[in-house]
Amino acid sequence: MGIGSGMTRSAHAVTRTARTLAATRHPAGYHGDYQGNVGFFEGWYVKLVSADREHRIAVIPGIFKGGEGRSDEAFVQVLDGATGESWYERYPATNFSADTQRFNVAVAAQRFSDRGIAVDLPGSRLKGTVRFTTPLDPWPVTPTSPGIMGPYGWVPVMECYHGHLSFDHGLEGTLTLGDRELNFDGGRGYLEKDWGRAFPSAYVWMQTNHFDTPGVSLLASIATIPWGKRSFRGFIVGLRIPGRNGGALHRFATYTGASTDQLEIDDAYVTWTLRSKTGRLLKIRAERRGGGLLHAPVRTEMHRRVEETLDARIHVELIAPDGRVQFEGTGEAAGLEVHGDLDALMAMADRV
């Protein structure tokens, strides 16, 4: 190749890098256009819980790009938290479109945005419209910490990136699922997303915004993070407690200098204690319950099966350095995923 061709490739690479960095500041938007011709997935997790908590649905639109020699596909997958039933609807990748700046996704006739969702899946398995009645409440984005991943959000070689779109928002509307009518008037919603090359080889993820104190929300995840030729145990926890001036978001994360005092996982519970740099403790005990199987991405396909429940119960205690209990409560209708080599995850160090 001549010098001119080399400069063109370099210019394209610089442009793609600049666009990728710009997209990092918009976690809700679509990132796939900036990733090149490599294996890539992106999916948005939309959780809907009715006012009486009887109806618990997760709907996940997204896309998988197989890379060279492999097929691409768009998808919508659904988990019914009440019955454990789950299914995966596959579509041509050309049926997918999404905004790069905000949450606005279309997969064939299905629409998902910051105003709500409208679905009409084949065979009328799931059909209807649910509107979001209050503004979304995302993890703050700043120049130095672009969302929930903190400074790791700027690292261009992460296996999986995470975006947080809303701790809690109101719902209104009705879905039909088979012969059942699911009314979500007065219900609560939650929104997040993932994108990258593959899910972690081992992880625990949990979420609930159904505490006795309205507005309290917990998101917590811990996973095996590849880092060059090594791996470390990375984690992100956010406990949102309402109050004056928007309330407080208590963050315990690898990048905040927090550490894991205890992590125990068995068939019944996930028990996890974290300590902040200032000595504040967060104690989490999640009760595991049966759920349904969801597709999750590996580098070559969207066909790894991961069990998720929308019926877990999570007890939380936030304890000040002086021993004073700042918050204690139990979250219901909780999402919980536990997957992979858990013994290795429990034994791993929090940092490289």
Side-chain angles (χ1 to χ4, degrees), residues 82-102:
T83 67
E85 180 188 12
S86 63
W87 72 94
Y88 182 94
E89 300 285 356
R90 185 179 290 106
Y91 297 87
T94 52
N95 286 175
F96 173 90
S97 64
D99 193 293
T100 59
Q101 302 291 304
R102 63 189 184 91

Side-chain angles (χ1 to χ4, degrees), residues 321-345:
D322 63 4
R324 178 172 46 90
V325 176
Q326 294 181 287
F327 174 81
E328 183 173 5
T330 300
E332 304 284 352
L336 177 64
E337 290 182 16
V338 180
H339 180 78
D341 187 345
L342 303 176
D343 288 336
L345 183 67

Side-chain angles (χ1 to χ4, degrees), residues 308-325:
E308 178 181 332
T309 180
L310 297 180
D311 195 32
R313 177 181 292 121
I314 304 174
H315 186 77
V316 178
E317 284 185 80
L318 181 66
I319 303 172
D322 63 4
R324 178 172 46 90
V325 176

